[in-house]
Amino acid sequence: MGRREYRIDSAPNPSYPDASKRGHVTVKAFPDADAMKLAIQSGALDMAFTVTPTVAEQLSGVDGLSVKTIDAGYLYFVRPNLQRGPLADATVRKALDLGLDRTAFVQALKGGSVANGLFAHYYSFAGQEKVVTDTAAAKALLDEAGWLAGPDGVRVKDGQKLSLSLITYASRPDLGIIMHIMVSQLGELGIAATTSVVDDIRTAMTGGAYDLAMYAQHTAPTGEPSFFLNQFFRTGGANNLNGYSSATTDGLLDELGDLAPGAQRDAKAIKIQQQIHRDNAALLLVDPQWHIAVSKRLADYQPYCGDYYVVNPQLGLS
């Protein structure tokens, strides 16, 4: 039995200007990056949103196709399980934060920058954290936490090896690239790791059978910080799936809610990010760029940061 095709066929809204000049737009979902690559190469697509860095390089040399690169507006980060396992220990989380080399992730993705906060760098409330790599300090913290190197190089505590379960999801292939490199970096710290790709990352996190969840999120889809911060980091928040709870952070969020947009509110959002980073409730990874392949028909199309407004006024003109 073949894989079911998911598609949306849309027609121009007659209430908008120039509706009569616009054609229909069909949006298709693909099971993986290779399938989408083949579709745009064959002419079955006018846009592949988005493609992996490797596919972007391959398509850049194809006649009739071009690749546009944009700041995604997303954050790639890791959500540690704070309710069970080794990462419930703040010292172990800090060790991981110091042990990860984010520049290797950026290089592998062929674009973007090391994340220094929970929001894209161009926002006025973007974070100002100094994310550094210090392998020696990371190893010292693991020693301090009682995880000592075993005979095979894997750390052991109370007879139990330090092994972490990493999960990611197929719809964000960049995360899989990062996860592969992260396993190697964890190994350098004396940490074993297993990996898996799940269909639904939220369901997997709710089940609790993980240590590190790779995550991608547009953290300011409406251009302001409070929605994401409350959803993900307030005690009991709707998207607080990894069990973070801090009276300090909750209090700061209350104060944020009392402030009007402006410099004071931006400063409060930055302070909240400092506290979250101090607690290592989220391990910052990459402020990414995305690659979008287009045909000649869409040569003038300029994608908007993020994936909320793929169909914009420049798309669908006949």
Side-chain angles (χ1 to χ4, degrees):
M1 186 175 181
R3 184 186 295 269
R4 181 179 177 185
E5 179 185 273
Y6 293 93
R7 58 186 287 158
I8 299 172
D9 295 306
S10 62
N13 186 331
S15 298
Y16 280 75
D18 298 324
S20 62
K21 300 178 181 179
R22 299 181 183 275
H24 286 61
V25 174
T26 298
V27 180
K28 296 182 179 181
F30 286 82
D32 54 57
D34 288 335
M36 189 160 58
K37 171 191 170 185
L38 292 173
I40 196 165
Q41 283 182 307
S42 70
L45 293 179
D46 286 302
M47 180 195 303
F49 192 109
T50 58
V51 296
T52 65
T54 299
V55 171
E57 287 186 341
Q58 294 168 347
L59 295 180
S60 294
V62 175
D63 184 43
L65 298 179
S66 59
V67 175
K68 298 174 182 287
T69 299
I70 61 168
D71 290 328
Y74 266 66
L75 171 69
Y76 293 165
F77 61 115
V78 175
R79 306 181 72 178
N81 191 332
L82 306 179
Q83 297 177 303
R84 56 164 289 276
L87 297 176
D89 184 340
T91 303
V92 178
R93 297 199 303 276
K94 182 61 178 176
L96 259 62
D97 188 51
L98 288 170
L100 297 179
D101 179 8
R102 280 81 166 178
T103 59
F105 306 151
V106 172
Q107 290 169 0
L109 296 178
K110 299 179 173 63
S113 59
V114 173
N116 63 351
L118 296 170
F119 301 97
H121 62 276
Y122 47 77
Y123 288 113
S124 58
F125 45 83
Q128 301 172 357
E129 302 308 303
K130 294 181 178 179
V131 180
V132 299
T133 302
D134 189 334
T135 304
K139 291 179 178 179
L141 284 173
L142 291 170
D143 289 341
E144 178 185 321
W147 292 100
L148 305 179
D152 60 353
V154 178
R155 293 177 178 271
V156 179
K157 181 179 181 180
D158 300 328
Q160 187 77 23
K161 288 189 175 184
L162 182 51
S163 179
L164 302 180
S165 168
L166 282 63
I167 59 174
T168 187
Y169 48 114
S171 61
R172 296 296 179 197
D174 283 357
L175 297 180
I177 295 171
I178 293 174
M179 185 171 69
H180 178 75
I181 300 170
M182 188 179 295
V183 169
S184 177
Q185 294 181 358
L186 293 174
E188 294 176 8
L189 300 175
I191 302 172
T194 61
T195 64
S196 62
V197 179
V198 300
D199 292 328
D200 186 338
I201 193 71
R202 285 181 56 89
T203 299
M205 289 186 68
T206 302
Y210 74 98
D211 293 300
L212 293 170
M214 314 294 294
Y215 218 88
Q217 181 72 29
H218 196 310
T219 54
T222 59
E224 66 87 37
S226 67
F227 176 79
F228 170 74
L229 292 174
N230 277 285
Q231 286 270 314
F232 280 69
F233 299 103
R234 181 180 287 279
T235 301
N239 217 325
N240 188 344
L241 304 176
N242 60 329
Y244 179 58
S245 181
S246 165
T248 300
T249 299
D250 289 346
L252 290 170
L253 287 169
D254 290 341
E255 295 170 9
L256 180 71
D258 291 333
L259 295 172
Q264 284 187 313
R265 196 164 192 262
D266 289 349
K268 188 68 65 176
I270 292 170
K271 188 172 183 179
I272 293 169
Q273 292 172 78
Q274 291 172 342
Q275 183 62 44
I276 291 168
H277 185 241
R278 189 177 297 118
D279 293 336
N280 292 123
L283 304 183
L284 304 171
L285 298 180
V286 176
D287 185 354
Q289 290 181 316
W290 281 353
H291 312 289
I292 298 97
V294 295
S295 70
K296 286 183 178 179
R297 291 182 66 199
L298 294 180
D300 295 330
Y301 173 79
Q302 183 55 47
Y304 176 85
C305 63
D307 51 2
Y308 289 84
Y309 306 105
V310 177
V311 180
N312 67 22
Q314 298 178 36
L315 183 67
L317 287 172
S318 57

